[in-house]
Amino acid sequence: MAAGDDNIACATLVTGALKISSIDAEGQEQILSVIHPAGFVGEMFAPIAHHNVIALTDSRLCLFTRSDYESAVARFPALAAALLRRSSEELLEARTLLDLKGRRSAKAKVAGLLSAFAKSASTSSCHSADSFMLPLSRSDMASVLGLTIETVSRQLTGLEKSGLIRREGARGIIIRNAPGLDDLTNG
Amino acid sequence: MAAGDDNIACATLVTGALKISSIDAEGQEQILSVIHPAGFVGEMFAPIAHHNVIALTDSRLCLFTRSDYESAVARFPALAAALLRRSSEELLEARTLLDLKGRRSAKAKVAGLLSAFAKSASTSSCHSADSFMLPLSRSDMASVLGLTIETVSRQLTGLEKSGLIRREGARGIIIRNAPGLDDLTNG
DNA sequence: CGTTTCGTTGAGTAGAATCAAGCCAAGTGG
DNA sequence: CCACTTGGCTTGATTCTACTCAACGAAACG
């Protein structure tokens, strides 16, 4: 989906990963959200799309049109409640990202992003994973945080040198000191 | 409402204005959203509140508890659909803010915020107002954009010197060159 | 009249962006 | 098999923006 398109379809993500982004006049991409399975994309109430939706990996979607939606809600009132719940979760996630992006230093932003990934990489909802693969490239991480890829790279090596994380290849992350990461995030 | 509270109530705003914010370990406030009349606050599906809600002006709210919500949805299925619509709008607004906060330069951020205010100050949904009162203090603007009050102040005087806007007192803004502002926002 | 709050302005500095190489792994083609 | 390319990542040197610290002006208030 591209910004400016007639907005005819919405979808829930079945497998894979998507990003929602906007692109400014100079071609700078801003990632506004990363969608995981069971997440929802599309603007149900806008005539044209505001943002771009791009697959990060091969993905499977369950598409439906807005007219589908309206008839389905009429037949199954519980559907609206379920979608409301999803939408509330997306909203909370967007605000979490806002919070992250507002951190003062680059180190705090990168540390916060790692903590967030550790949480979402865990199967349990209350614990964080202590090792995981970064779902985003350096370029995408930079775009999420509003930094450059060089700065992201430097912060990662900095975090490794200070012993808070260890890296396995370009994408593998092992958290060695989770509380320390959180301290950096909030400071 | 304060982050960490038991999350027992939600509300729609009738008159006034609210801000949703988070506060980090150093006491730095991040404004995550500004709520206007007809807007919704509260996290319907979280046991404890993640963020703070603070009134920007004297405000009137229509409060309801989460159990109220559940019985109301059971009796009036259309309610869920209406709340879904609101929630979608909040989500779009949060993403617009994300976009703004991700702009590279301070000038682009301030210019973008002014454009956004000009839009929401207009009574018509398709035109922007050409003069309006800033709804936020310098401190709140800085917090929304992730800047300091000094930087916001300097950017405003810069925009005035370059002829894009004129100021009337501390809060009054007159847009003299709206396309120019948009160019700055996307550049 | 002092005090407080809010906004503006200036000087100096820390930190991220920019510019520029260079490394490594994977792919391509002779 | 080897030269070459490509894309993603890292590192270094330099520049410049926005933060910090500090002073000052204006309006509101007791």
Side-chain angles (χ1 to χ4, degrees), chain A residues 31-42:
Chain A
I31 294 188
L32 304 176
S33 177
V34 177
I35 305 294
H36 301 290
F40 181 87
V41 293

Side-chain angles (χ1 to χ4, degrees), chain B residues 92-113:
Chain B
L92 180 58
E93 200 192 306
R95 286 180 177 158
T96 305
L97 207 64
L98 260 177
D99 192 11
L100 206 56
K101 213 160 181 171
R103 299 282 155 198
R104 313 208 133 292
S105 69
K107 188 155 293 188
K109 291 183 191 180
V110 172
L113 188 61

Side-chain angles (χ1 to χ4, degrees), chain A residues 96-158:
Chain A
T96 305
L97 207 63
L98 259 178
D99 192 11
L100 206 57
K101 215 161 179 169
R103 299 281 155 199
R104 313 207 132 295
S105 70
K107 188 155 296 190
K109 291 184 191 180
V110 173
L113 188 60
L114 290 185
S115 292
F117 282 153
K119 271 197 203 72
S120 69
S122 161
T123 49
S124 147
S125 61
C126 48
H127 286 74
S128 290
D130 58 350
S131 77
F132 57 93
M133 289 285 145
L134 289 172
L136 299 182
S137 68
R138 294 293 182 275
S139 151
D140 284 334
M141 289 174 66
S143 169
V144 167
L145 297 174
L147 299 170
T148 58
I149 58 174
E150 293 97 326
T151 300
V152 172
S153 179
R154 274 187 256 268
Q155 296 309 324
L156 285 175
T157 64

Side-chain angles (χ1 to χ4, degrees), chain A residues 7-136:
Chain A
N7 182 19
I8 50 163
C10 301
T12 61
L13 179 62
V14 179
T15 62
L18 310 176
K19 62 181 174 184
I20 298 177
S21 70
S22 71
I23 299 193
D24 70 18
E26 281 143 342
Q28 281 292 330
E29 178 188 43
Q30 303 263 356
I31 294 188
L32 304 176
S33 177
V34 177
I35 305 294
H36 301 290
F40 181 87
V41 293
E43 295 165 57
M44 224 121 38
F45 304 106
I48 59 167
H50 289 77
H51 306 306
N52 308 290
V53 179
I54 299 167
L56 290 168
T57 67
D58 289 347
S59 299
R60 295 199 322 150
L61 298 164
C62 173
L63 273 174
F64 57 94
T65 64
R66 289 205 291 162
S67 51
D68 286 344
Y69 162 74
E70 279 160 28
S71 58
V73 163
R75 285 174 52 202
F76 308 107
L79 179 61
L83 284 172
L84 176 57
R85 178 165 205 135
R86 289 251 182 94
S87 171
S88 299
E89 280 159 13
E90 302 278 349
L91 187 55
L92 180 58
E93 200 193 306
R95 287 180 176 156
T96 305
L97 207 63
L98 259 178
D99 192 11
L100 206 57
K101 215 161 179 169
R103 299 281 155 199
R104 313 207 132 295
S105 70
K107 188 155 296 190
K109 291 184 191 180
V110 173
L113 188 60
L114 290 185
S115 292
F117 282 153
K119 271 197 203 72
S120 69
S122 161
T123 49
S124 147
S125 61
C126 48
H127 286 74
S128 290
D130 58 350
S131 77
F132 57 93
M133 289 285 145
L134 289 172
L136 299 182

Side-chain angles (χ1 to χ4, degrees), chain B residues 105-106 148 150-151 154:
Chain B
S105 69
T148 59
E150 294 98 324
T151 301
R154 275 186 255 268

